[in-house]
Amino acid sequence: VEGIPPLLIGGFRKKKKGKANEQRPAYKEEDIEVLFKHPIWTGCRSAVHRHIPGDVIVWDGVYWGPLISAYCGARLEEIAALRMAEVVVDAPVPYFIFVENENRGLKTISSERMVPVHPVLIRLGFLRYLAAKQKERAKYLFPELRPNPGTETPWGARITRKFSEAVAITLGEHRVEKDKNKTFHSFRHYVCTKLGLFDDIKDKTIEDIVGHENKGTTDRIYKDATPLNVMLEAICRLPDLTDAAYQASTARKIVPPRRQPRHA
């Protein structure tokens, strides 16, 4: 009609919510079990040749980062940029502290949280790794993941390539689901999906573990964070899929990460 501007219907189309990584498919239990049989976790040739079977296990961010995420759903950069002071073990429930630091921010306010260290990590030797770093007086849990100065490369980028290659090698065509690749972020979806199957685990508990914003106003504003012991009870429902890695950890030589150049 003359005098009435045309109606732009584009604004009424339903938009997809979330970023691409938030829509990544979740790992299945069998995916994770196969993945942690890769030489990174069961014995490789060297710190350089992580995909070739051998008698060496390198304890670094490439080894521990995926394990941590698989058992608490933390994001890659949250794990990679952890400071030593953000891992507390002299407590009834050992825990990680995910807060903003000089190396990375957090996605939302709800991402700031404390999350228990899963017993699977302790069984694999995480406390021994931590003690070695304390002896070195390291500032960061994974100092070899520090990006080169003057670049915009985020903490965790050094994990991404080797991890993605390991996923491709171990899962093959099964790494793709609904035309999307399973990635590091898929651990978060696995944890949420798996814990969501238990009727007695509250949504708020799962949201507090992975750092999602609480859905209800009451939970978001008026309720305290889920206690660590309750979180621990919840994440202990996640099955131990690391038997191959554990057996290897008792039979292979454990070595520190390859030293990075001084400027790295």
Side-chain angles (χ1 to χ4, degrees):
V1 179
E2 188 175 352
I4 300 178
L7 179 64
L8 300 178
I9 63 172
F12 293 92
R13 294 194 183 109
K14 186 177 181 180
K15 296 180 180 179
K16 291 184 178 180
K17 294 182 178 181
K19 296 181 180 178
N21 64 351
E22 293 173 342
Q23 298 174 31
R24 293 293 182 182
Y27 288 116
K28 297 180 173 64
E29 282 186 31
E30 53 266 33
D31 293 336
I32 296 176
E33 189 168 25
V34 170
L35 178 60
F36 288 144
K37 290 180 180 178
H38 180 278
I40 287 174
W41 296 279
T42 57
C44 59
R45 178 178 292 179
S46 69
V48 176
H49 301 101
R50 303 296 286 274
H51 303 309
I52 302 175
D55 295 325
V56 169
I57 293 177
V58 185
W59 272 2
D60 62 357
V62 176
Y63 177 93
W64 289 110
L67 287 165
I68 292 172
S69 188
Y71 285 95
C72 75
R75 299 175 179 90
L76 173 57
E77 287 186 36
E78 291 176 337
I79 296 168
L82 276 166
R83 295 176 295 191
M84 291 292 293
E86 294 167 347
V87 187
V88 179
V89 295
D90 56 345
V93 177
Y95 59 94
F96 298 106
I97 303 172
F98 295 116
V99 292
E100 286 194 8
N101 62 32
E102 67 271 23
N103 300 315
R104 53 105 168 92
L106 292 177
K107 188 173 181 182
T108 64
I109 293 176
S110 57
S111 298
E112 186 171 302
R113 64 201 189 280
M114 296 185 297
V115 180
V117 177
H118 197 287
V120 163
L121 303 177
I122 296 173
R123 179 175 181 245
L124 289 171
F126 182 71
L127 297 187
R128 278 199 294 138
Y129 170 82
L130 189 67
K133 288 297 168 189
Q134 290 171 335
K135 189 174 181 179
E136 295 171 10
R137 297 186 178 180
K139 181 178 181 180
Y140 304 110
L141 186 61
F142 304 118
E144 77 283 353
L145 299 183
R146 185 188 303 118
N148 292 334
T151 69
E152 296 183 359
T153 304
W155 281 70
R158 296 184 192 274
I159 292 179
T160 302
R161 181 172 62 84
K162 280 189 169 59
F163 177 75
S164 297
E165 291 170 350
V167 172
I169 291 168
T170 55
L171 300 188
E173 62 182 16
H174 295 293
R175 75 185 185 279
V176 181
E177 188 173 305
K178 296 181 180 179
D179 297 324
K180 290 184 174 64
N181 284 330
K182 296 174 183 178
T183 65
F184 195 98
H185 201 81
S186 297
F187 285 127
R188 286 177 63 75
H189 295 277
Y190 163 74
V191 171
C192 291
T193 300
K194 194 68 181 174
L195 295 184
L197 297 176
F198 297 96
D199 292 337
D200 58 333
I201 297 180
K202 296 179 180 179
D203 288 345
K204 184 181 186 323
T205 299
I206 300 173
E207 291 160 1
D208 287 350
I209 289 170
V210 300
H212 280 162
E213 184 177 4
N214 294 157
K215 296 182 179 69
T217 302
T218 302
D219 284 347
R220 189 169 61 249
I221 298 176
Y222 298 107
K223 288 190 177 179
D224 294 331
T226 303
L228 283 169
N229 64 309
V230 176
M231 287 188 183
L232 179 61
E233 183 179 345
I235 63 175
C236 281
R237 302 282 190 92
L238 297 170
D240 184 353
L241 304 171
T242 64
D243 276 349
Y246 173 72
Q247 295 300 324
S249 71
T250 64
R252 302 282 187 260
K253 179 182 180 182
I254 306 293
V255 300
R258 186 163 62 111
R259 187 179 297 276
Q260 299 293 331
R262 184 177 294 274
H263 67 275

